[in-house]
Amino acid sequence: MTTNLLEVKHLSQKFGDNLVLSDLNETIQAGEVVVIIGASGGGKSTFLRSLNLLNHPTRGQVLFEGQDLTTLNEKQLDHIRQKIGMVFQSYNVFPHLTVKENLKLAPKKVKKMSDEDADKLADNLLDQVGLADKAQDYPTSLSGGQQQRVAIARALAMQPEVMLFDEPTSALDPEMVGEVLKVMQKLAQEGMTMVVVTHEMTFAQEVAQQVWFMDGGKILEKGTPKQIFQNPQKERTKDFLARVRQSR
């Protein structure tokens, strides 16, 4: 049986007079990988940040496991956000803590995990993202790709039910992109529910179950990677994909 993990109903977001999201109605099921593509300024990041209410929508509902997040107070929201991991373009790791300390901080502080359990969890996750040998290093000594993998491991340390990725590779040098996408691909194979905003079209084609093309605050077209990349229906989607291919 499929379970709707995340759902938005009539979701709209205005900043001043600027309508950034326009009446969106979408569902994301448990275990599903949804990749959102589209030109900059189309509302992708705003939509992603609405899913855990980092951006509070102007109108509409955001449901997580059937619960409307827009009705919750900040304390209740913080509790739900523990189940929703988020990775941004910038790594946001704490430079004054070692890699392992970065991973242990939230489980100990928020989940009240013992130091021993947090230590084991951190070791497992660093192994998972290929950074077991960097546990005692400080983030400033790591490459951008390594820091982003630390950021992913840190989000996973809270054992979330869904991971949101907001252009996680856009700040990286090209040779570092692959190492981050590999970690994300592995997560997808292990059944993690993921919503990914990215310009990495190969990743979208290989990993997504659904691809959403977003433009002007609306999801103009959605379907399997094959449908979107090989047989797009909307002129705007065709135009976007043609320009992406030209820029390669």
Side-chain angles (χ1 to χ4, degrees):
M1 195 181 92
T2 54
T3 313
N4 288 343
L5 192 61
L6 278 163
E7 194 171 356
V8 298
K9 296 180 178 180
H10 303 294
L11 184 74
S12 295
Q13 178 78 61
K14 269 183 119 171
F15 296 121
D17 291 334
N18 188 14
L19 186 65
V20 181
L21 300 176
S22 178
D23 198 39
L24 300 178
N25 294 279
E26 300 297 340
T27 58
I28 294 151
Q29 293 172 348
E32 192 167 40
V33 179
V34 175
V35 174
I36 306 173
I37 62 170
S40 296
K44 304 184 301 298
S45 291
T46 303
F47 173 71
L48 202 70
R49 291 170 69 89
S50 299
L51 294 179
N52 63 358
L53 255 68
L54 281 179
N55 274 15
H56 210 289
T58 312
R59 180 174 166 265
Q61 296 174 296
V62 180
L63 302 161
F64 178 76
E65 296 181 327
Q67 186 170 28
D68 183 3
L69 304 191
T70 61
T71 64
L72 303 183
N73 63 35
E74 205 55 36
K75 194 177 177 186
Q76 293 167 320
L77 263 179
D78 282 344
H79 181 68
I80 298 288
R81 284 189 185 121
Q82 292 176 33
K83 301 177 183 181
I84 305 174
M86 186 147 192
V87 177
F88 300 91
Q89 291 180 33
S90 51
Y91 330 119
N92 294 338
V93 287
F94 298 115
H96 63 291
L97 298 177
T98 66
V99 166
K100 190 188 254 192
E101 285 166 349
N102 261 282
L103 266 63
K104 288 170 67 174
L105 185 67
K108 285 175 71 175
K109 203 172 173 181
V110 182
K111 289 200 156 184
K112 309 297 180 207
M113 198 179 271
S114 71
D115 187 67
E116 192 184 352
D117 286 347
D119 209 65
K120 275 187 204 154
L121 177 65
D123 284 341
N124 285 340
L125 287 170
L126 287 173
D127 197 40
Q128 200 176 328
V129 299
L131 291 173
D133 58 333
K134 303 291 183 188
Q136 301 310 322
D137 293 10
Y138 285 89
T140 45
S141 70
L142 304 181
S143 70
Q146 289 169 331
Q147 288 189 60
Q148 192 60 297
R149 284 186 279 155
V150 173
I152 292 171
R154 190 180 60 180
L156 290 171
M158 288 302 286
Q159 298 165 313
E161 290 176 37
V162 58
M163 286 283 283
L164 311 178
F165 291 90
D166 189 8
E167 300 195 17
T169 58
S170 65
L172 300 177
D173 292 334
E175 68 269 20
M176 293 172 190
V177 169
E179 64 189 58
V180 173
L181 294 179
K182 208 158 137 190
V183 169
M184 292 167 64
Q185 194 155 10
K186 194 172 158 204
L187 280 178
Q189 285 163 354
E190 288 165 359
M192 174 62 79
T193 310
M194 292 162 61
V195 187
V196 184
V197 169
T198 187
H199 294 290
E200 299 294 332
M201 298 300 149
T202 307
F203 175 82
Q205 289 178 69
E206 289 175 358
V207 180
Q209 270 113 28
Q210 276 203 73
V211 176
W212 296 356
F213 172 68
M214 200 163 178
D215 189 63
K218 293 182 187 292
I219 290 158
L220 286 192
E221 189 164 355
K222 58 183 182 176
T224 63
K226 194 173 178 183
Q227 286 166 332
I228 297 297
F229 289 102
Q230 293 181 24
N231 190 25
Q233 299 301 301
K234 297 269 168 66
E235 284 308 313
R236 185 70 192 88
T237 318
K238 291 176 189 174
D239 178 52
F240 170 75
L241 291 172
R243 279 190 294 131
V244 167
R245 287 181 191 115
Q246 280 169 2
S247 68
R248 280 182 180 169

